[in-house]
Amino acid sequence: MRNRITIDAPRHEVRVNGKEVYLRPSEFEILNILVAQNGKYLSRLDIIYKLGKTDEDIDAHTVTQHICRMRKKLPRGAIRTVPEYGYRFIG
């Protein structure tokens, strides 16, 4: 059975198979950015800029840490990686 991920942006809620999953505000923002790309890959730098930050405000390692925490909370395979490039949301 495929896991169903539901995102309620106005309420800042994420549910997996109907059960609420807590994401930190930055994690929630990154998830929304990835979902909006409709399966296209984004580099860490692309994510930083879409967050409205510069690489002086937040670095690529921080994005990687957020993704790592998100993967522990979301179903396996929901976020895919292209080594040395970036991420995409599969959901």
Side-chain angles (χ1 to χ4, degrees), residues 38-56:
N38 295 316
K40 295 178 185 168
Y41 285 97
L42 281 179
S43 70
R44 291 166 189 87
L45 194 56
D46 291 334
I47 293 169
I48 289 167
Y49 290 136
K50 288 185 179 289
L51 285 169
K53 309 285 185 188
T54 67
D55 53 357
E56 293 175 2

Side-chain angles (χ1 to χ4, degrees), residues 27-76:
E27 296 167 356
F28 187 83
E29 285 182 73
I30 292 170
L31 180 62
N32 276 321
I33 288 167
L34 291 172
V35 168
Q37 298 307 302
N38 295 316
K40 295 178 185 168
Y41 285 97
L42 281 179
S43 70
R44 291 166 189 87
L45 194 56
D46 291 334
I47 293 169
I48 289 167
Y49 290 136
K50 288 185 179 289
L51 285 169
K53 309 285 185 188
T54 67
D55 53 357
E56 293 175 2
D57 297 327
I58 183 175
D59 64 19
H61 181 71
T62 303
V63 172
T64 302
Q65 289 177 324
H66 286 310
I67 296 288
C68 183
R69 281 195 300 270
M70 291 164 59
R71 283 187 167 140
K72 292 177 182 176
K73 300 172 186 180
L74 298 174
R76 183 181 178 103

Side-chain angles (χ1 to χ4, degrees), residues 13-32:
E13 288 182 357
V14 176
R15 294 185 177 278
V16 176
N17 298 327
K19 185 176 180 179
E20 189 169 359
V21 174
Y22 172 75
L23 294 181
R24 295 175 181 191
S26 294
E27 296 167 356
F28 187 83
E29 285 182 73
I30 292 170
L31 180 62
N32 276 321

